[in-house]
Amino acid sequence: MSQSGKRDAKVPAAEMTAMLIIFVATNAFLTYPRYISFSAYEAAWMEPIFSGALTLALFYLVEWIMRKYFQNLDIVEIAKEVFGRFGAICIALLFALYFLCSTAAVMREFTENVVSTVLPSTPLLLVGAVFMFAVGYIAYAGIEGICRTAFIFLPILLVGLVGVCLMTVNWWRPYLLLPLWGTGPMRVIMGAMQYSSIFANVLLLTIIFPHVNNPRKMRRIGAVSIIVSTLLLVFLVLSYHMVFPAAETGKTSFALYRLARMIHMGPFFQRLESIFIFLWVTAATVRMAVTMWGSAYLLSKAFSWPTYRPAVPAIVLLSFSLGMWPQNWMDVIEFDGTYLLKWGWIVVFAIPVAVLLSGWLKRSRRRSRRVRHV
């Protein structure tokens, strides 16, 4: 199917919201709690709130610009109008590379988690290959298939994520959340800005905007997805910090798994982490399918390919190779925290906003010139 043909297929608001919620909430299973705990200690639960507020403000700004000036256009088409074809290719390649590295990092982290917890005798390459095959299959179906998959699994994921936190209530010690501001207000705010890249809603908005069934609902989609995912992250971090001291939380790579191992509610409700692994892998599959589809879609738009689908198998192999390249998964965690999380806000926020503001100014100047000539 041609690219224009895919443009005719629109995604309902509920399915798009589910996809965005899962995309952000999946960071609860990854290293995000580790880094915010290390930067803010007892106040780590505040960082998702500040990051979510910043994302929501930028989302409203970007949505207003695209709805008023660039309806039915994506970020690559806007970049072509502002910077020309070569500039648009450079920007698309940068976004595609970011998505590619994110896919590779998430694949390796989740694969290592599965092998070290429930499949210790299974080769890492085999688990990773099966994982990537499933991700590639969903990504090949397009944004419509990804969003429908997210819509189906979102209720199960919400129940599992909230259930893990509530089932550890007998271990909660609220005094561990003191002092209230942890390492101090400035460190909390700086950490929230540094690690705000987990909210990739702004970048995704500039890509998926033409695929929304009703663009007027995009503001509500963004608000609901950002608020719900923020509340989930805050609830997880609060529960985690009420169980484990702040000095220990920054040393754990998979906070939610460690929290799930603490579940002990009688002889029949304990050691439930194997059940929750299935939920986490499902969420990771949806998230990786989004980044893989985004990378293929951006490349197809940049080089004017008729469809993105031929690029999906190549991106699957490339992501798998990059993810398995490091000798140990601690190198992957270090790369994820140093580059993708800490500096990812440049790709997720700064560049899309700069492109849209440049396009807005350019179109405003054209309108003013037409008025003068008239």
Side-chain angles (χ1 to χ4, degrees), residues 43 80 83 98 274 367 373:
K80 285 181 181 179
F83 304 110
Y98 176 81
S274 298
R367 288 186 178 183
H373 286 300

Side-chain angles (χ1 to χ4, degrees), residues 12-267:
E15 297 178 2
M16 187 70 72
T17 304
M19 183 272 289
L20 292 173
I21 291 174
I22 290 182
F23 187 89
V24 178
T26 306
N27 289 279
F29 312 138
L30 300 173
T31 56
Y32 175 70
R34 167 194 174 106
Y35 288 104
I36 63 173
S37 298
F38 186 76
S39 67
Y41 273 44
E42 294 86 357
W45 62 273
M46 297 183 184
E47 291 199 4
I49 297 177
F50 290 115
S51 299
L54 173 64
T55 305
L56 188 60
L58 291 175
F59 190 94
Y60 279 165
L61 172 64
V62 170
E63 187 273 339
W64 178 79
I65 294 175
M66 295 196 71
R67 178 167 45 85
K68 190 170 184 179
Y69 295 96
F70 302 106
Q71 208 163 27
N72 296 323
L73 297 181
D74 56 43
I75 188 67
V76 180
E77 294 168 332
I78 298 171
K80 285 181 181 179
E81 182 178 323
V82 178
F83 304 110
R85 179 175 173 80
F86 180 75
I89 290 176
C90 293
I91 292 174
L93 287 176
L94 178 61
F95 291 154
L97 179 62
Y98 176 81
F99 282 147
L100 180 66
C101 293
S102 176
T103 305
V106 173
M107 185 276 298
R108 180 64 182 270
E109 290 176 19
F110 267 93
T111 301
E112 291 279 0
N113 194 11
V114 171
V115 170
S116 62
T117 54
V118 295
L119 299 173
S121 301
T122 307
L124 183 67
L125 291 175
L126 177 60
V127 176
V130 174
F131 201 9
M132 292 304 297
F133 176 80
V135 172
Y137 179 80
I138 298 175
Y140 192 82
I143 191 64
E144 302 85 8
I146 297 172
C147 291
R148 290 187 188 119
T149 304
F151 184 74
I152 293 172
F153 284 104
L154 179 62
I156 303 174
L157 178 64
L158 291 178
V159 172
L161 187 59
V162 176
V164 169
C165 298
L166 292 179
M167 284 189 217
T168 58
V169 67
N170 55 324
W171 294 95
W172 286 3
R173 292 170 289 175
Y175 64 84
L176 291 177
L177 299 175
L178 300 175
L180 183 63
W181 283 98
T183 54
M186 288 304 299
R187 284 285 301 273
V188 173
I189 295 174
M190 290 300 297
M193 294 182 64
Q194 280 185 340
Y195 300 119
S196 60
S197 60
I198 66 161
F199 291 90
N201 305 60
V202 174
L203 176 57
L204 290 175
L205 169 63
T206 62
I207 299 172
I208 65 179
F209 190 81
H211 301 273
V212 182
N213 189 23
N214 186 358
R216 295 182 179 179
K217 293 184 179 180
M218 199 66 214
R219 178 167 294 191
R220 187 173 66 181
I221 292 172
V224 173
S225 62
I226 293 171
I227 291 173
V228 171
S229 55
T230 299
L231 291 176
L232 289 174
L233 291 174
V234 170
F235 187 42
L236 166 69
V237 177
L238 276 173
S239 303
Y240 185 51
H241 278 257
M242 285 192 292
V243 176
F244 300 102
E248 297 181 10
T249 53
K251 302 176 183 178
T252 304
S253 300
F254 301 107
L256 197 60
Y257 177 75
R258 189 183 183 191
L259 198 63
R261 294 194 64 181
M262 297 298 295
I263 296 175
H264 188 95
M265 303 177 67

